[in-house]
């Protein structure tokens, strides 16, 4: 009997050890926490974006943790500064995967760095969740580890051109953009929509992120007969271009890609941005917003971080909330497969800021299907259209 008992005890111990080992095989998942990683810019040219987004993700995770976590697990975020540089992003992601053992990456910065690090993530079975990049490669070609919700720059441009033609009678939309994946895709979108609607082919001019003089480029577009402009720019260059347009007293519609929906743009001195439009995916939240949930969020963000929130931070808060929904749907037995299934089961998701609904499913890992336009009116971004399809 002693031998039988010993064998039983030994068998139970082995089974327990195997179960523990099995649980430990899920990278970043522990009995009391789930570890997520993020590479973003905290010190480079778009540090304002990276700081806002890492703040917002932490804000949502902390809300969950204060309520007890998800299925008994708290959410932890490890952030690495990539300085908006591909080599640093590669180093950051290698650290997050190999030293921090993250379960998944969330909100990682920019198309170039994401494209450079995706092979490493996929090889390690680490999901890439909702990167801060509106490039098609974030979801196409399909891979079960890639989830996105930012409408591509190409589709932003196509929808914007379509609107300018229908509402402003524009015949030739031209492009001013920073030389980047974003700029290239904006030009591709304008060119594709121009061809589809039998418009004149677009003129274009590209600049470096550090450039500050845009008078020559804007004059070139005016002399080329452009009667609409699409911008693939960030904050500082957007303000510079709008200043040059205003100096020429050139009265045409100007629409920026979603990256231009920045406080620095709307707050530019001299009302330079008045009338400027953005291909948007989310209403900017203000502390006195008519949307009470958005107003409360903006107030809490300002109180916590002592700075105004931006739409970039709002995007990231939604990414974190989508991850929360996915974890809830995945159940207590969390692994990559159950997380993927949990995200795929999200249907008709409505963010608190009033953006277009998101929907995911098997083989449908791009959740968005529409944009809308916002316009600068009296120093605020104000929505001016219903959802626009592309």
């Amino acid at each position: 009997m002693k031998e039988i008992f010993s064998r039983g005890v030994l068998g139970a111990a082995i089974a327990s050890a195997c179960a523990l080992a099995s649980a430990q095989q899920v990278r970043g998942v522990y009995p009391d926490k789930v570890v997520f990683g993020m590479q973003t810019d905290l010190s480079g040219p778009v540090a304002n974006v990276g700081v806002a987004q890492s703040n917002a993700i932490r804000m949502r995770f902390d809300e969950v943790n204060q309520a007890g976590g998800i299925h008994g697990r708290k959410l932890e975020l490890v952030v690495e500064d990539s300085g908006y540089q591909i080599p640093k992003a590669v180093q950051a992601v290698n650290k997050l995967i190999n030293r921090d053992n993250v379960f998944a990456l969330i909100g990682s910065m920019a198309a170039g760095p994401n494209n450079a690090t995706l092979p490493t993530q996929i090889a390690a079975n680490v999901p890439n969740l909702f990167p801060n990049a509106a490039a098609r490669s974030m979801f196409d070609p399909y891979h079960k580890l890639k989830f996105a919700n930012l409408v591509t720059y190409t589709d932003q441009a196509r929808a914007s051109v379509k609107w300018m033609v229908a509402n402003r009678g524009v015949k030739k939309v031209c492009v001013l953009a920073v030389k980047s994946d974003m700029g290239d895709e904006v030009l591709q979108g304008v060119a594709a929509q121009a061809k589809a609607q039998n418009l004149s082919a677009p003129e274009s001019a590209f600049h470096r992120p550090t450039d500050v003089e845009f008078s020559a480029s804007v004059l070139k577009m005016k002399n080329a007969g452009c009667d609409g402009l699409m911008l693939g720019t960030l904050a500082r260059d957007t303000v510079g271009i709008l200043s040059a347009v205003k100096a020429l007293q050139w009265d045409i519609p100007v629409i920026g890609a979603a990256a231009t929906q920045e406080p620095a743009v709307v707050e530019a001195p001299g009302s330079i941005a008045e009338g400027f439009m953005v291909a948007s995916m989310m209403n900017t939240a203000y502390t006195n917003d008519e949307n009470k949930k958005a107003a409360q969020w903006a107030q809490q963000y300002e109180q916590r971080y002592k700075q105004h929130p931006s739409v970039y931070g709002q995007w990231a808060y939604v990414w974190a909330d989508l991850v929360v929904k996915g974890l809830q749907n995945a159940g207590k037995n969390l692994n990559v497969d159950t997380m993927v299934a949990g995200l795929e089961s999200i249907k008709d998701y409505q963010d608190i800021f009033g953006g277009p609904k998101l929907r995911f499913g098997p083989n449908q890992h791009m959740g968005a299907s529409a944009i809308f336009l916002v316009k600068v009116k009296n120093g605020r971004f104000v929505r001016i259209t219903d959802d626009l399809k592309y």
Side-chain angles (χ1 to χ4, degrees):
M1 287 185 65
K2 287 183 178 179
E3 183 178 352
I4 295 173
F5 177 77
S6 297
R7 287 177 180 175
V9 171
L10 178 61
I14 291 173
S16 177
C18 289
L20 179 61
S22 176
Q24 291 175 339
Q25 287 173 5
V26 182
R27 183 195 306 271
V29 178
Y30 303 90
D32 60 343
K33 67 179 180 179
V34 186
V35 183
F36 292 87
M38 180 185 193
Q39 69 78 10
T40 193
D41 183 8
L42 302 179
S43 61
V46 291
N48 61 312
V49 177
V51 170
Q53 293 188 333
S54 56
N55 284 347
I57 292 172
R58 282 198 175 98
M59 186 172 171
R60 183 67 186 109
F61 280 9
D62 286 350
E63 290 169 353
V64 169
N65 292 341
Q66 289 166 10
I70 299 175
H71 302 301
R73 298 185 179 101
K74 301 292 181 70
L75 308 185
E76 182 177 310
L77 180 68
V78 182
V79 181
E80 288 293 321
D81 181 13
S82 58
Y84 206 61
Q85 298 179 34
I86 290 176
K88 287 187 175 181
V90 171
Q91 292 174 356
V93 170
N94 283 334
K95 175 186 176 294
L96 290 167
I97 291 175
N98 297 315
R99 288 177 54 187
D100 299 306
N101 292 315
V102 299
F103 174 60
L105 266 68
I106 176 174
S108 286
M109 175 65 73
N114 272 280
N115 286 330
T117 59
L118 268 170
T120 299
Q121 289 179 239
I122 289 172
N125 201 34
V126 175
N128 198 46
L129 307 180
F130 313 113
N132 183 47
R136 188 168 297 277
S137 56
M138 298 302 98
F139 63 91
D140 184 22
Y142 167 84
H143 192 283
K144 78 170 188 176
L145 300 180
K146 300 195 298 188
F147 283 83
N149 80 316
L150 295 184
V151 174
T152 66
Y153 301 118
T154 300
D155 290 335
Q156 292 175 35
R158 294 197 70 154
S160 298
V161 171
K162 188 175 179 181
W163 183 89
M164 279 193 269
V165 172
N167 294 275
R168 296 295 181 87
V170 168
K171 304 295 184 184
K172 185 175 183 178
V173 180
C174 298
V175 175
L176 292 173
V178 65
K179 186 59 183 173
S180 63
D181 292 339
M182 173 178 68
D184 292 341
E185 289 199 18
V186 167
L187 178 57
Q188 291 169 11
V190 172
Q193 194 62 32
K195 183 177 181 180
Q197 296 193 245
N198 296 316
L199 306 177
S200 299
E203 296 287 334
S204 63
F206 289 87
H207 56 269
R208 295 167 296 186
T210 54
D211 287 348
V212 295
E213 174 54 48
F214 303 98
S215 298
S217 296
V218 171
L219 183 60
K220 175 187 174 183
M221 299 298 106
K222 184 176 182 181
N223 291 340
C226 307
D227 55 359
L229 282 180
M230 186 77 203
L231 307 186
T233 49
L234 300 171
R236 184 173 60 181
D237 48 346
T238 299
V239 173
I241 290 168
L242 295 176
S243 298
V245 170
K246 186 173 182 178
L248 289 175
Q249 298 182 331
W250 193 19
D251 185 19
I252 60 167
V254 183
I255 299 179
T260 62
Q261 194 174 340
E262 270 267 42
V265 173
V266 76
E267 295 167 3
S271 300
I272 286 169
E274 243 351 81
F276 173 62
M277 293 172 282
V278 178
S280 178
M281 293 168 276
M282 191 167 292
N283 299 304
T284 298
Y286 296 99
T287 55
N288 60 349
D289 209 301
E290 292 182 1
N291 177 341
K292 299 306 180 185
K293 289 183 178 179
Q296 183 179 29
W297 181 87
Q299 292 163 11
Q300 291 172 344
Y301 185 98
E302 286 193 6
Q303 182 177 8
R304 175 167 177 168
Y305 297 114
K306 311 306 180 188
Q307 58 185 239
H308 297 305
S310 70
V311 75
Y312 287 121
Q314 294 173 230
W315 291 353
Y317 186 85
V318 169
W319 301 334
D321 194 48
L322 288 167
V323 166
V324 168
K325 296 289 191 293
L327 290 168
Q328 291 170 337
N329 294 340
K332 191 170 182 63
N333 182 29
L334 179 62
N335 56 49
V336 171
D337 289 338
T338 59
M339 182 64 180
V340 168
L343 290 168
E344 288 177 344
S345 66
I346 297 174
K347 313 295 182 187
D348 296 325
Y349 171 87
Q350 179 64 68
D351 65 69
I352 64 172
F353 308 108
K357 289 184 178 181
L358 304 177
R359 183 181 183 86
F360 301 89
N363 303 319
Q364 183 187 342
H365 287 191
M366 169 53 169
S369 61
I371 66 161
F372 55 89
L373 294 184
V374 296
K375 184 177 183 178
V376 179
K377 292 183 177 181
N378 300 318
R380 296 177 72 142
F381 286 112
V382 178
R383 184 168 180 163
I384 62 169
T385 72
D386 293 329
D387 289 355
L388 302 176
K389 301 290 185 177
Y390 37 84

